[in-house]
Amino acid sequence: MAHWYDHTSIYQLYPKSFADTNGDGIGDLRGIKEHITYLKNLGIDTIWLNPIYQSPQVDNGYDVADYQQIDPIFGTLTDFKDLIAAVHEQGLHLIMDLVLNHTSDQHPWFKQALADPHSHYRDFYLWQTTHDGQVPNNWQSFFGGSVWEPDPHEDKTFYFHLFDRHMPDLN
């Protein structure tokens, strides 16, 4: 049995540079909504939307601080709901880019994990304590430097980040 996604044409959309409706130089959800007919006329069936979740924007939204909030630079939750309605009115699908391997260091889970080594959120991330206070190994981050960042509150303990140090990996 064929599903809609078996034969769809997908357009990946980077919101920051797509269409700015409020003049701040950053694309936003209302700008995307205003161009839904244009996108449909390109012959696409599905929009793949890069991250729009609340983020300090260390890595263009891939450093999510709150998965349940829209980053204000893109608009509001109402703007997002309006976008979904407009996409569906045109018979299109919307795929959200969902970051599952790490969060921002500003995410409440990580803040709690740093603040309290006995917090259950500590297990949400990858930590390593060494006997000599040296990084556990020589692995390198995709962004350069070690994948290990010192825990500012725990001597000889490090958290793992495959990307930027502000993006700790989830366990």
Side-chain angles (χ1 to χ4, degrees), residues 65-96:
D66 189 337
Y67 289 92
Q68 297 179 353
Q69 298 296 321
I70 302 300
D71 196 298
I73 66 171
F74 299 119
T76 66
L77 186 56
T78 298
D79 294 331
F80 180 60
K81 289 177 180 179
D82 291 346
L83 173 62
I84 291 172
V87 166
H88 290 165
E89 284 173 12
Q90 290 292 326
L92 302 175
H93 299 279
L94 180 68
I95 297 174
M96 299 292 295

PDB file of all heavy atoms in Angstrom, residues 65-96:
ATOM      1  N   ALA A  65      16.331  25.118  22.819  1.00  0.00           N
ATOM      2  CA  ALA A  65      16.210  25.412  24.248  1.00  0.00           C
ATOM      3  C   ALA A  65      14.825  25.034  24.778  1.00  0.00           C
ATOM      4  O   ALA A  65      14.662  24.771  25.964  1.00  0.00           O
ATOM      5  CB  ALA A  65      16.481  26.890  24.519  1.00  0.00           C
ATOM      6  N   ASP A  66      13.820  25.005  23.899  1.00  0.00           N
ATOM      7  CA  ASP A  66      12.462  24.643  24.304  1.00  0.00           C
ATOM      8  C   ASP A  66      11.723  24.106  23.091  1.00  0.00           C
ATOM      9  O   ASP A  66      11.409  24.853  22.160  1.00  0.00           O
ATOM     10  CB  ASP A  66      11.735  25.856  24.880  1.00  0.00           C
ATOM     11  CG  ASP A  66      10.394  25.505  25.515  1.00  0.00           C
ATOM     12  OD1 ASP A  66       9.803  24.460  25.166  1.00  0.00           O
ATOM     13  OD2 ASP A  66       9.922  26.286  26.358  1.00  0.00           O
ATOM     14  N   TYR A  67      11.453  22.803  23.116  1.00  0.00           N
ATOM     15  CA  TYR A  67      10.785  22.146  21.994  1.00  0.00           C
ATOM     16  C   TYR A  67       9.311  22.512  21.883  1.00  0.00           C
ATOM     17  O   TYR A  67       8.673  22.188  20.891  1.00  0.00           O
ATOM     18  CB  TYR A  67      10.908  20.621  22.125  1.00  0.00           C
ATOM     19  CG  TYR A  67      12.294  20.093  21.886  1.00  0.00           C
ATOM     20  CD1 TYR A  67      13.185  19.913  22.938  1.00  0.00           C
ATOM     21  CD2 TYR A  67      12.721  19.764  20.612  1.00  0.00           C
ATOM     22  CE1 TYR A  67      14.462  19.415  22.726  1.00  0.00           C
ATOM     23  CE2 TYR A  67      13.995  19.265  20.383  1.00  0.00           C
ATOM     24  CZ  TYR A  67      14.857  19.101  21.445  1.00  0.00           C
ATOM     25  OH  TYR A  67      16.120  18.610  21.219  1.00  0.00           O
ATOM     26  N   GLN A  68       8.764  23.175  22.884  1.00  0.00           N
ATOM     27  CA  GLN A  68       7.342  23.485  22.887  1.00  0.00           C
ATOM     28  C   GLN A  68       7.053  24.952  22.567  1.00  0.00           C
ATOM     29  O   GLN A  68       5.894  25.356  22.598  1.00  0.00           O
ATOM     30  CB  GLN A  68       6.734  23.119  24.241  1.00  0.00           C
ATOM     31  CG  GLN A  68       6.832  21.637  24.514  1.00  0.00           C
ATOM     32  CD  GLN A  68       6.253  21.253  25.861  1.00  0.00           C
ATOM     33  OE1 GLN A  68       5.886  22.091  26.667  1.00  0.00           O
ATOM     34  NE2 GLN A  68       6.167  19.963  26.105  1.00  0.00           N
ATOM     35  N   GLN A  69       8.093  25.707  22.245  1.00  0.00           N
ATOM     36  CA  GLN A  69       7.912  27.129  21.943  1.00  0.00           C
ATOM     37  C   GLN A  69       8.508  27.464  20.576  1.00  0.00           C
ATOM     38  O   GLN A  69       9.536  26.920  20.189  1.00  0.00           O
ATOM     39  CB  GLN A  69       8.598  28.001  23.003  1.00  0.00           C
ATOM     40  CG  GLN A  69       8.047  27.841  24.396  1.00  0.00           C
ATOM     41  CD  GLN A  69       6.593  28.279  24.504  1.00  0.00           C
ATOM     42  OE1 GLN A  69       6.187  29.276  23.908  1.00  0.00           O
ATOM     43  NE2 GLN A  69       5.806  27.531  25.247  1.00  0.00           N
ATOM     44  N   ILE A  70       7.866  28.380  19.889  1.00  0.00           N
ATOM     45  CA  ILE A  70       8.394  28.912  18.632  1.00  0.00           C
ATOM     46  C   ILE A  70       9.375  30.019  18.988  1.00  0.00           C
ATOM     47  O   ILE A  70       9.099  30.856  19.847  1.00  0.00           O
ATOM     48  CB  ILE A  70       7.245  29.486  17.760  1.00  0.00           C
ATOM     49  CG1 ILE A  70       6.186  28.411  17.464  1.00  0.00           C
ATOM     50  CG2 ILE A  70       7.786  30.112  16.485  1.00  0.00           C
ATOM     51  CD1 ILE A  70       6.674  27.204  16.720  1.00  0.00           C
ATOM     52  N   ASP A  71      10.522  30.035  18.318  1.00  0.00           N
ATOM     53  CA  ASP A  71      11.481  31.109  18.572  1.00  0.00           C
ATOM     54  C   ASP A  71      10.844  32.431  18.131  1.00  0.00           C
ATOM     55  O   ASP A  71      10.326  32.520  17.011  1.00  0.00           O
ATOM     56  CB  ASP A  71      12.784  30.866  17.814  1.00  0.00           C
ATOM     57  CG  ASP A  71      13.901  31.731  18.344  1.00  0.00           C
ATOM     58  OD1 ASP A  71      13.774  32.980  18.263  1.00  0.00           O
ATOM     59  OD2 ASP A  71      14.887  31.188  18.851  1.00  0.00           O
ATOM     60  N   PRO A  72      10.882  33.444  18.982  1.00  0.00           N
ATOM     61  CA  PRO A  72      10.247  34.727  18.642  1.00  0.00           C
ATOM     62  C   PRO A  72      10.771  35.363  17.355  1.00  0.00           C
ATOM     63  O   PRO A  72      10.055  36.151  16.734  1.00  0.00           O
ATOM     64  CB  PRO A  72      10.552  35.614  19.850  1.00  0.00           C
ATOM     65  CG  PRO A  72      10.803  34.671  20.972  1.00  0.00           C
ATOM     66  CD  PRO A  72      11.406  33.442  20.354  1.00  0.00           C
ATOM     67  N   ILE A  73      11.988  35.020  16.926  1.00  0.00           N
ATOM     68  CA  ILE A  73      12.472  35.610  15.672  1.00  0.00           C
ATOM     69  C   ILE A  73      11.647  35.137  14.481  1.00  0.00           C
ATOM     70  O   ILE A  73      11.623  35.803  13.451  1.00  0.00           O
ATOM     71  CB  ILE A  73      13.973  35.336  15.423  1.00  0.00           C
ATOM     72  CG1 ILE A  73      14.259  33.856  15.204  1.00  0.00           C
ATOM     73  CG2 ILE A  73      14.829  35.921  16.525  1.00  0.00           C
ATOM     74  CD1 ILE A  73      15.679  33.551  14.742  1.00  0.00           C
ATOM     75  N   PHE A  74      10.948  34.012  14.629  1.00  0.00           N
ATOM     76  CA  PHE A  74      10.121  33.474  13.550  1.00  0.00           C
ATOM     77  C   PHE A  74       8.644  33.809  13.694  1.00  0.00           C
ATOM     78  O   PHE A  74       7.881  33.646  12.753  1.00  0.00           O
ATOM     79  CB  PHE A  74      10.281  31.954  13.458  1.00  0.00           C
ATOM     80  CG  PHE A  74      11.673  31.509  13.167  1.00  0.00           C
ATOM     81  CD1 PHE A  74      12.351  30.702  14.059  1.00  0.00           C
ATOM     82  CD2 PHE A  74      12.326  31.914  12.014  1.00  0.00           C
ATOM     83  CE1 PHE A  74      13.642  30.291  13.800  1.00  0.00           C
ATOM     84  CE2 PHE A  74      13.617  31.514  11.747  1.00  0.00           C
ATOM     85  CZ  PHE A  74      14.283  30.698  12.649  1.00  0.00           C
ATOM     86  N   GLY A  75       8.230  34.229  14.876  1.00  0.00           N
ATOM     87  CA  GLY A  75       6.825  34.536  15.097  1.00  0.00           C
ATOM     88  C   GLY A  75       6.305  33.894  16.369  1.00  0.00           C
ATOM     89  O   GLY A  75       7.051  33.685  17.322  1.00  0.00           O
ATOM     90  N   THR A  76       5.042  33.551  16.338  1.00  0.00           N
ATOM     91  CA  THR A  76       4.355  33.024  17.522  1.00  0.00           C
ATOM     92  C   THR A  76       3.775  31.643  17.217  1.00  0.00           C
ATOM     93  O   THR A  76       3.751  31.199  16.066  1.00  0.00           O
ATOM     94  CB  THR A  76       3.201  33.952  17.922  1.00  0.00           C
ATOM     95  OG1 THR A  76       2.215  33.920  16.870  1.00  0.00           O
ATOM     96  CG2 THR A  76       3.679  35.385  18.158  1.00  0.00           C
ATOM     97  N   LEU A  77       3.266  31.013  18.263  1.00  0.00           N
ATOM     98  CA  LEU A  77       2.585  29.735  18.074  1.00  0.00           C
ATOM     99  C   LEU A  77       1.352  29.921  17.189  1.00  0.00           C
ATOM    100  O   LEU A  77       1.038  29.060  16.354  1.00  0.00           O
ATOM    101  CB  LEU A  77       2.201  29.132  19.430  1.00  0.00           C
ATOM    102  CG  LEU A  77       1.620  27.731  19.414  1.00  0.00           C
ATOM    103  CD1 LEU A  77       2.552  26.740  18.714  1.00  0.00           C
ATOM    104  CD2 LEU A  77       1.322  27.266  20.827  1.00  0.00           C
ATOM    105  N   THR A  78       0.682  31.039  17.313  1.00  0.00           N
ATOM    106  CA  THR A  78      -0.467  31.338  16.444  1.00  0.00           C
ATOM    107  C   THR A  78      -0.022  31.428  14.988  1.00  0.00           C
ATOM    108  O   THR A  78      -0.693  30.898  14.097  1.00  0.00           O
ATOM    109  CB  THR A  78      -1.154  32.645  16.881  1.00  0.00           C
ATOM    110  OG1 THR A  78      -1.639  32.474  18.218  1.00  0.00           O
ATOM    111  CG2 THR A  78      -2.313  33.004  15.966  1.00  0.00           C
ATOM    112  N   ASP A  79       1.114  32.090  14.743  1.00  0.00           N
ATOM    113  CA  ASP A  79       1.644  32.155  13.376  1.00  0.00           C
ATOM    114  C   ASP A  79       1.915  30.750  12.836  1.00  0.00           C
ATOM    115  O   ASP A  79       1.651  30.468  11.672  1.00  0.00           O
ATOM    116  CB  ASP A  79       2.945  32.961  13.330  1.00  0.00           C
ATOM    117  CG  ASP A  79       2.758  34.426  13.663  1.00  0.00           C
ATOM    118  OD1 ASP A  79       1.664  34.975  13.396  1.00  0.00           O
ATOM    119  OD2 ASP A  79       3.716  35.033  14.203  1.00  0.00           O
ATOM    120  N   PHE A  80       2.442  29.884  13.699  1.00  0.00           N
ATOM    121  CA  PHE A  80       2.734  28.519  13.272  1.00  0.00           C
ATOM    122  C   PHE A  80       1.445  27.761  12.960  1.00  0.00           C
ATOM    123  O   PHE A  80       1.355  27.070  11.937  1.00  0.00           O
ATOM    124  CB  PHE A  80       3.551  27.783  14.335  1.00  0.00           C
ATOM    125  CG  PHE A  80       3.878  26.376  13.963  1.00  0.00           C
ATOM    126  CD1 PHE A  80       4.621  26.098  12.819  1.00  0.00           C
ATOM    127  CD2 PHE A  80       3.451  25.321  14.739  1.00  0.00           C
ATOM    128  CE1 PHE A  80       4.918  24.793  12.458  1.00  0.00           C
ATOM    129  CE2 PHE A  80       3.747  24.011  14.391  1.00  0.00           C
ATOM    130  CZ  PHE A  80       4.483  23.755  13.249  1.00  0.00           C
ATOM    131  N   LYS A  81       0.433  27.905  13.806  1.00  0.00           N
ATOM    132  CA  LYS A  81      -0.846  27.245  13.546  1.00  0.00           C
ATOM    133  C   LYS A  81      -1.477  27.761  12.252  1.00  0.00           C
ATOM    134  O   LYS A  81      -2.061  26.979  11.478  1.00  0.00           O
ATOM    135  CB  LYS A  81      -1.792  27.447  14.728  1.00  0.00           C
ATOM    136  CG  LYS A  81      -1.368  26.661  15.957  1.00  0.00           C
ATOM    137  CD  LYS A  81      -2.280  26.931  17.142  1.00  0.00           C
ATOM    138  CE  LYS A  81      -1.833  26.142  18.362  1.00  0.00           C
ATOM    139  NZ  LYS A  81      -2.680  26.387  19.533  1.00  0.00           N
ATOM    140  N   ASP A  82      -1.339  29.064  12.002  1.00  0.00           N
ATOM    141  CA  ASP A  82      -1.844  29.633  10.747  1.00  0.00           C
ATOM    142  C   ASP A  82      -1.095  29.066   9.542  1.00  0.00           C
ATOM    143  O   ASP A  82      -1.686  28.809   8.496  1.00  0.00           O
ATOM    144  CB  ASP A  82      -1.716  31.162  10.757  1.00  0.00           C
ATOM    145  CG  ASP A  82      -2.659  31.839  11.739  1.00  0.00           C
ATOM    146  OD1 ASP A  82      -3.602  31.182  12.235  1.00  0.00           O
ATOM    147  OD2 ASP A  82      -2.437  33.039  12.022  1.00  0.00           O
ATOM    148  N   LEU A  83       0.211  28.871   9.699  1.00  0.00           N
ATOM    149  CA  LEU A  83       1.004  28.283   8.623  1.00  0.00           C
ATOM    150  C   LEU A  83       0.541  26.858   8.338  1.00  0.00           C
ATOM    151  O   LEU A  83       0.357  26.481   7.178  1.00  0.00           O
ATOM    152  CB  LEU A  83       2.493  28.298   8.982  1.00  0.00           C
ATOM    153  CG  LEU A  83       3.415  27.555   8.019  1.00  0.00           C
ATOM    154  CD1 LEU A  83       3.372  28.168   6.628  1.00  0.00           C
ATOM    155  CD2 LEU A  83       4.833  27.512   8.570  1.00  0.00           C
ATOM    156  N   ILE A  84       0.345  26.073   9.385  1.00  0.00           N
ATOM    157  CA  ILE A  84      -0.123  24.692   9.199  1.00  0.00           C
ATOM    158  C   ILE A  84      -1.460  24.683   8.455  1.00  0.00           C
ATOM    159  O   ILE A  84      -1.657  23.907   7.516  1.00  0.00           O
ATOM    160  CB  ILE A  84      -0.260  23.962  10.551  1.00  0.00           C
ATOM    161  CG1 ILE A  84       1.119  23.731  11.163  1.00  0.00           C
ATOM    162  CG2 ILE A  84      -0.992  22.637  10.378  1.00  0.00           C
ATOM    163  CD1 ILE A  84       1.075  23.193  12.578  1.00  0.00           C
ATOM    164  N   ALA A  85      -2.367  25.554   8.857  1.00  0.00           N
ATOM    165  CA  ALA A  85      -3.676  25.616   8.192  1.00  0.00           C
ATOM    166  C   ALA A  85      -3.519  25.979   6.715  1.00  0.00           C
ATOM    167  O   ALA A  85      -4.157  25.364   5.845  1.00  0.00           O
ATOM    168  CB  ALA A  85      -4.571  26.628   8.904  1.00  0.00           C
ATOM    169  N   ALA A  86      -2.657  26.941   6.409  1.00  0.00           N
ATOM    170  CA  ALA A  86      -2.445  27.352   5.018  1.00  0.00           C
ATOM    171  C   ALA A  86      -1.818  26.234   4.194  1.00  0.00           C
ATOM    172  O   ALA A  86      -2.192  26.015   3.036  1.00  0.00           O
ATOM    173  CB  ALA A  86      -1.561  28.607   4.977  1.00  0.00           C
ATOM    174  N   VAL A  87      -0.878  25.502   4.781  1.00  0.00           N
ATOM    175  CA  VAL A  87      -0.249  24.377   4.097  1.00  0.00           C
ATOM    176  C   VAL A  87      -1.304  23.323   3.763  1.00  0.00           C
ATOM    177  O   VAL A  87      -1.382  22.834   2.635  1.00  0.00           O
ATOM    178  CB  VAL A  87       0.893  23.783   4.964  1.00  0.00           C
ATOM    179  CG1 VAL A  87       1.326  22.421   4.454  1.00  0.00           C
ATOM    180  CG2 VAL A  87       2.076  24.733   5.039  1.00  0.00           C
ATOM    181  N   HIS A  88      -2.126  22.997   4.738  1.00  0.00           N
ATOM    182  CA  HIS A  88      -3.153  21.974   4.521  1.00  0.00           C
ATOM    183  C   HIS A  88      -4.231  22.446   3.555  1.00  0.00           C
ATOM    184  O   HIS A  88      -4.742  21.636   2.773  1.00  0.00           O
ATOM    185  CB  HIS A  88      -3.749  21.550   5.859  1.00  0.00           C
ATOM    186  CG  HIS A  88      -2.784  20.769   6.694  1.00  0.00           C
ATOM    187  ND1 HIS A  88      -2.978  20.544   8.035  1.00  0.00           N
ATOM    188  CD2 HIS A  88      -1.607  20.165   6.400  1.00  0.00           C
ATOM    189  CE1 HIS A  88      -1.970  19.845   8.518  1.00  0.00           C
ATOM    190  NE2 HIS A  88      -1.123  19.599   7.542  1.00  0.00           N
ATOM    191  N   GLU A  89      -4.564  23.732   3.582  1.00  0.00           N
ATOM    192  CA  GLU A  89      -5.551  24.260   2.628  1.00  0.00           C
ATOM    193  C   GLU A  89      -5.094  24.074   1.186  1.00  0.00           C
ATOM    194  O   GLU A  89      -5.921  23.913   0.288  1.00  0.00           O
ATOM    195  CB  GLU A  89      -5.803  25.746   2.894  1.00  0.00           C
ATOM    196  CG  GLU A  89      -6.681  26.016   4.091  1.00  0.00           C
ATOM    197  CD  GLU A  89      -6.763  27.512   4.428  1.00  0.00           C
ATOM    198  OE1 GLU A  89      -6.335  28.357   3.615  1.00  0.00           O
ATOM    199  OE2 GLU A  89      -7.247  27.816   5.538  1.00  0.00           O
ATOM    200  N   GLN A  90      -3.791  24.108   0.970  1.00  0.00           N
ATOM    201  CA  GLN A  90      -3.246  23.914  -0.370  1.00  0.00           C
ATOM    202  C   GLN A  90      -2.991  22.438  -0.698  1.00  0.00           C
ATOM    203  O   GLN A  90      -2.457  22.120  -1.751  1.00  0.00           O
ATOM    204  CB  GLN A  90      -1.938  24.702  -0.522  1.00  0.00           C
ATOM    205  CG  GLN A  90      -2.129  26.195  -0.565  1.00  0.00           C
ATOM    206  CD  GLN A  90      -2.834  26.643  -1.834  1.00  0.00           C
ATOM    207  OE1 GLN A  90      -2.670  26.067  -2.908  1.00  0.00           O
ATOM    208  NE2 GLN A  90      -3.659  27.668  -1.705  1.00  0.00           N
ATOM    209  N   GLY A  91      -3.355  21.555   0.236  1.00  0.00           N
ATOM    210  CA  GLY A  91      -3.173  20.127   0.012  1.00  0.00           C
ATOM    211  C   GLY A  91      -1.726  19.671   0.148  1.00  0.00           C
ATOM    212  O   GLY A  91      -1.360  18.613  -0.366  1.00  0.00           O
ATOM    213  N   LEU A  92      -0.923  20.460   0.845  1.00  0.00           N
ATOM    214  CA  LEU A  92       0.489  20.129   1.037  1.00  0.00           C
ATOM    215  C   LEU A  92       0.708  19.499   2.401  1.00  0.00           C
ATOM    216  O   LEU A  92      -0.154  19.566   3.274  1.00  0.00           O
ATOM    217  CB  LEU A  92       1.347  21.394   0.913  1.00  0.00           C
ATOM    218  CG  LEU A  92       1.256  22.170  -0.403  1.00  0.00           C
ATOM    219  CD1 LEU A  92       2.065  23.453  -0.317  1.00  0.00           C
ATOM    220  CD2 LEU A  92       1.726  21.309  -1.566  1.00  0.00           C
ATOM    221  N   HIS A  93       1.875  18.919   2.585  1.00  0.00           N
ATOM    222  CA  HIS A  93       2.293  18.345   3.864  1.00  0.00           C
ATOM    223  C   HIS A  93       3.417  19.200   4.431  1.00  0.00           C
ATOM    224  O   HIS A  93       4.139  19.869   3.693  1.00  0.00           O
ATOM    225  CB  HIS A  93       2.790  16.908   3.684  1.00  0.00           C
ATOM    226  CG  HIS A  93       1.751  15.980   3.141  1.00  0.00           C
ATOM    227  ND1 HIS A  93       0.791  15.405   3.934  1.00  0.00           N
ATOM    228  CD2 HIS A  93       1.537  15.536   1.887  1.00  0.00           C
ATOM    229  CE1 HIS A  93       0.015  14.642   3.179  1.00  0.00           C
ATOM    230  NE2 HIS A  93       0.447  14.708   1.938  1.00  0.00           N
ATOM    231  N   LEU A  94       3.577  19.125   5.748  1.00  0.00           N
ATOM    232  CA  LEU A  94       4.648  19.854   6.431  1.00  0.00           C
ATOM    233  C   LEU A  94       5.420  18.874   7.303  1.00  0.00           C
ATOM    234  O   LEU A  94       4.830  18.159   8.111  1.00  0.00           O
ATOM    235  CB  LEU A  94       4.061  20.979   7.303  1.00  0.00           C
ATOM    236  CG  LEU A  94       5.066  21.818   8.071  1.00  0.00           C
ATOM    237  CD1 LEU A  94       5.906  22.663   7.125  1.00  0.00           C
ATOM    238  CD2 LEU A  94       4.345  22.705   9.071  1.00  0.00           C
ATOM    239  N   ILE A  95       6.729  18.831   7.109  1.00  0.00           N
ATOM    240  CA  ILE A  95       7.609  18.020   7.943  1.00  0.00           C
ATOM    241  C   ILE A  95       8.458  18.981   8.762  1.00  0.00           C
ATOM    242  O   ILE A  95       9.088  19.880   8.218  1.00  0.00           O
ATOM    243  CB  ILE A  95       8.525  17.116   7.098  1.00  0.00           C
ATOM    244  CG1 ILE A  95       7.704  16.117   6.298  1.00  0.00           C
ATOM    245  CG2 ILE A  95       9.550  16.417   7.981  1.00  0.00           C
ATOM    246  CD1 ILE A  95       8.526  15.287   5.330  1.00  0.00           C
ATOM    247  N   MET A  96       8.468  18.767  10.066  1.00  0.00           N
ATOM    248  CA  MET A  96       9.281  19.587  10.958  1.00  0.00           C
ATOM    249  C   MET A  96      10.632  18.916  11.181  1.00  0.00           C
ATOM    250  O   MET A  96      10.691  17.726  11.461  1.00  0.00           O
ATOM    251  CB  MET A  96       8.582  19.739  12.312  1.00  0.00           C
ATOM    252  CG  MET A  96       7.243  20.412  12.251  1.00  0.00           C
ATOM    253  SD  MET A  96       7.371  22.130  11.803  1.00  0.00           S
ATOM    254  CE  MET A  96       8.259  22.749  13.214  1.00  0.00           C
TER     255      MET A  96
END
